[in-house]
Amino acid sequence: MCAWLEALFQIHTAKVDEQRYGLMLVPRGCFKTTVGTFATCIKLLVDNPNARILLSSHKHEAAKEMLSAIKADLQHPKFKEIFGDWKVGASRWTEEAITIGERSVAYREPSIDTCGVDAPKTGAHYDYIIIDDVHNEINSSSETGRKRAFRHIITCYPLLEPNGVMGLWGTHWDARDAYAKILEVEAEREQRGDPTTWVKLIRKPWLEDGNLYFPARLGEKFLQKMREEIPDKWFANWYLNQPMEEGSVFFPGAGLWVRDMKYTSTDFLYPTVHVIDANLGELNTGVYQKPVYVVLLHDPAVSEKDSADYNALLVVAYDADLKWYILEAKRCVGPDKTLEWIEAFVRTYNIQKYSYEPIGSQRLWRRLVKERIEKANLPMPIIHEYSGRTSRGRRDKRSRIELIQPKMKAGEIVIGRGLTDLLHEFENYPQLSHEDLLDALAQGFEAQKRPDPYQTTPALESDDKRLRDVLDGRGGKSLQPNAGIATPVLRSYNG
């Protein structure tokens, strides 16, 4: 944490003449506030007594309490012995702000100022802004509270000097909170190939290698005690750094069904999915393969406004047992980019059926897709209009999505590796701002079809090395949609 903070605030490095933003989400008890807020503010003023710092939190009162703790540190005898008494000569020393006596430049802003979501600042300029816990349990539990917290972060942007640094520390209370919104926007930037804005430090109690992140404070015994003593929701938020407690996850263990997969075909005759699975694969290769029927599922956006849902596209392959293999999952904004991706998927996966939900003006997608495929001179898939009906009549979005759960729990859905947006929706449903991919996947029941009996792949069935080369990307080729849009490598192989 200390090294990350030093890099963010450029404490031991040359200053960069641009704004910098840092997001830190770590478990409770890791000195997030003690080091990230108290110590950092003091260090910044030691290095530059003329610095202007703004402290903020979910309540102005909470920010004032942080300033009170910093003032106590500044008045500690040891601090005054080394750095002097900064209160002497201070032009301001109140519960809301301080201007230290060491300052030599007459700025209007204090050395440390405070505000909150309930008491924002306007018309000031700061070298550093630290927003510590913009959310708490109360304001994260309502849509209005979450929007106010996110808006508060945005309104702090104009207060930051062109070469200033903003730090945002917090606890992940809800999958729709301000931190989740920032991470969602950052993920979209990465997918487009654009530079990201926020430098991130996100940790759970256990590192990826299984070791404890902070064993001196968050040991196994302590974590087990907290798991038993406090509510599950608090334990998930405070220590696991996740917005939902394990018992509330509607699709538990979705990550267990992620696999490396490769799609191969020769025209429409031999569409096949190859999956690496140590338990089900062949002894020598760890690979099993299934002839499949390939469908493109499309949940259209209801409008083109920024707040509207995305156009969600899923490429799903079905084997003879109607097991689902999700090969691609893509969110798109706007009809033009959506059509580019539809063409790319049809070209790459020899889509046999295109399914969409025709509500109101969305019926235009039949004509738009048909014209696009014909113009590209590609084989036309069957176009299916999803009814959204079951044996009990038409269902709302949530009811349709929740029909997926039994199939997921039975291990009858395999998710391709790298489909992070889809996995995010699985892991955080129903606490989602957008659940478009899951809604598209719900079409899978109506659109599913077993592959034709003649579909086999004789050229690849016994060639272990060829299978490995296919799955490793050697001997295959990648296709991209038209230039100008961000594109992942599509998993394809033309035999």
Side-chain angles (χ1 to χ4, degrees):
M1 180 193 297
C2 292
W4 183 84
L5 288 167
E6 288 176 354
L8 174 66
F9 288 97
Q10 305 169 87
I11 289 176
H12 296 303
T13 58
K15 306 297 182 183
V16 177
D17 192 22
E18 62 181 15
Q19 290 181 335
R20 296 169 60 81
Y21 298 85
L23 172 63
M24 178 168 61
L25 301 174
V26 296
R28 185 182 180 90
C30 292
F31 300 121
K32 165 177 61 68
T33 298
T34 302
V35 176
T37 301
F38 302 164
T40 297
C41 286
I42 294 172
K43 173 61 176 172
L44 293 173
L45 288 174
V46 167
D47 290 349
N48 178 16
N50 294 313
R52 296 162 294 173
I53 304 171
L54 177 64
L55 289 185
S56 184
S57 191
H58 57 278
K59 292 281 190 182
H60 190 200
E61 195 63 35
K64 289 191 289 186
E65 289 174 0
M66 288 186 243
L67 177 59
S68 177
I70 293 172
K71 287 159 60 180
D73 289 337
L74 297 181
Q75 289 298 290
H76 191 279
K78 192 66 175 178
F79 181 89
K80 291 196 290 186
E81 178 185 339
I82 298 173
F83 299 103
D85 189 347
W86 288 2
K87 189 175 181 180
V88 175
S91 61
R92 188 174 182 181
W93 198 272
T94 69
E95 65 173 8
E96 293 188 3
I98 62 171
T99 301
I100 63 174
E102 300 293 305
R103 175 177 279 190
S104 59
V105 178
Y107 287 126
R108 177 165 61 99
E109 296 82 5
S111 300
I112 303 179
D113 205 353
T114 59
C115 68
V117 174
D118 59 335
K121 284 284 182 183
T122 58
H125 301 276
Y126 300 94
D127 303 299
Y128 305 100
I129 299 175
I130 296 178
I131 307 174
D132 194 334
D133 284 331
V134 72
H135 280 296
N136 63 357
E137 185 178 18
I138 296 174
N139 76 0
S140 65
S141 62
S142 70
E143 183 177 1
T144 300
R146 293 190 294 269
K147 285 183 176 179
R148 286 188 66 192
F150 183 71
R151 185 169 60 248
H152 178 68
I153 297 171
I154 300 303
T155 57
C156 285
Y157 283 16
L159 306 180
L160 189 65
E161 286 285 86
N163 60 347
V165 181
M166 179 184 293
L168 178 62
W169 331 139
T171 296
H172 209 0
W173 283 100
D174 190 280
R176 297 157 294 187
D177 62 21
Y179 313 122
K181 178 66 175 176
I182 289 171
L183 293 173
E184 180 182 351
V185 172
E186 290 287 279
E188 291 173 358
R189 290 191 179 112
E190 289 179 356
Q191 289 182 359
R192 295 194 302 266
D194 296 339
T196 56
T197 300
W198 293 80
V199 180
K200 295 172 280 292
L201 177 67
I202 302 175
R203 294 289 185 269
K204 295 181 181 293
W206 296 274
L207 300 173
E208 292 183 359
D209 60 8
N211 292 319
L212 288 165
Y213 171 58
F214 197 168
R217 293 272 296 176
L218 304 182
E220 296 285 1
K221 289 184 179 180
F222 175 80
L223 290 170
Q224 183 59 35
K225 181 181 180 182
M226 290 297 101
R227 188 189 292 272
E228 295 171 354
E229 296 290 337
I230 66 177
D232 291 343
K233 171 69 173 173
W234 293 358
F235 183 76
N237 298 152
W238 291 348
Y239 296 106
L240 298 183
N241 200 8
Q242 63 189 36
M244 294 178 66
E245 63 269 35
E246 295 171 353
S248 296
V249 178
F250 195 81
F251 295 100
L256 298 175
W257 304 109
V258 174
R259 297 288 185 273
D260 289 297
M261 290 193 287
K262 197 77 175 184
Y263 169 83
T264 66
S265 73
T266 303
D267 298 324
F268 283 97
L269 295 180
Y270 308 117
T272 304
V273 167
H274 308 266
V275 184
I276 293 181
D277 191 308
N279 296 322
L280 301 177
E282 295 181 10
L283 182 62
N284 294 332
T285 64
V287 176
Y288 72 86
Q289 56 182 314
K290 294 283 187 178
V292 290
Y293 184 85
V294 187
V295 174
L296 175 58
L297 307 175
H298 178 194
D299 179 44
V302 296
S303 77
E304 302 307 320
K305 295 180 180 179
D306 292 340
S307 59
D309 291 342
Y310 295 93
N311 281 279
L313 299 174
L314 288 165
V315 177
V316 182
Y318 303 92
D319 68 14
D321 298 318
L322 293 181
K323 190 171 184 176
W324 300 4
Y325 301 87
I326 305 175
L327 302 172
E328 296 283 354
K330 179 66 181 176
R331 294 170 174 169
C332 308
V333 177
D336 293 338
K337 288 187 178 180
T338 303
L339 286 169
E340 289 177 348
W341 277 100
I342 289 174
E343 178 186 335
F345 288 151
V346 171
R347 186 185 303 275
T348 304
Y349 291 100
N350 293 331
I351 300 297
Q352 292 161 280
K353 181 188 290 185
Y354 163 74
S355 173
Y356 77 106
E357 186 172 11
I359 298 178
S361 62
Q362 305 308 322
R363 295 182 183 277
L364 288 172
W365 280 103
R366 170 185 281 272
R367 178 173 62 83
L368 293 174
V369 169
K370 188 174 181 180
E371 290 177 353
R372 183 79 181 209
I373 300 306
E374 287 176 345
K375 184 177 180 181
N377 198 28
L378 295 170
M380 182 66 63
I382 297 170
I383 298 182
H384 171 75
E385 293 188 350
Y386 173 58
S387 69
R389 296 184 180 276
T390 67
S391 58
R392 298 182 180 180
R394 185 171 179 82
R395 290 175 173 263
D396 59 65
K397 177 186 285 193
R398 289 289 175 91
S399 298
R400 298 198 304 258
I401 289 173
E402 290 169 7
L403 290 175
I404 301 169
Q405 188 198 49
K407 196 167 188 71
M408 172 69 76
K409 292 180 71 174
E412 296 176 0
I413 296 178
V414 182
I415 305 170
R417 193 175 304 281
L419 306 184
T420 53
D421 287 338
L422 177 61
L423 203 58
H424 171 79
E425 291 191 16
F426 270 126
E427 292 175 343
N428 294 288
Y429 179 85
Q431 288 189 6
L432 292 167
S433 301
H434 298 282
E435 49 203 24
D436 317 288
L437 292 170
L438 290 180
D439 197 25
L441 185 60
Q443 298 182 34
F445 293 100
E446 192 172 292
Q448 66 186 359
K449 183 181 181 299
R450 290 180 172 86
D452 293 325
Y454 62 80
Q455 289 183 191
T456 59
T457 50
L460 295 176
E461 281 181 348
S462 60
D463 190 342
D464 294 343
K465 184 178 184 302
R466 183 75 173 278
L467 282 173
R468 271 293 176 187
D469 287 349
V470 168
L471 288 159
D472 291 342
R474 300 184 294 270
K477 70 176 183 179
S478 301
L479 298 179
Q480 304 254 343
N482 296 337
I485 63 175
T487 314
V489 175
L490 301 178
R491 292 170 284 283
S492 64
Y493 175 83
N494 291 330

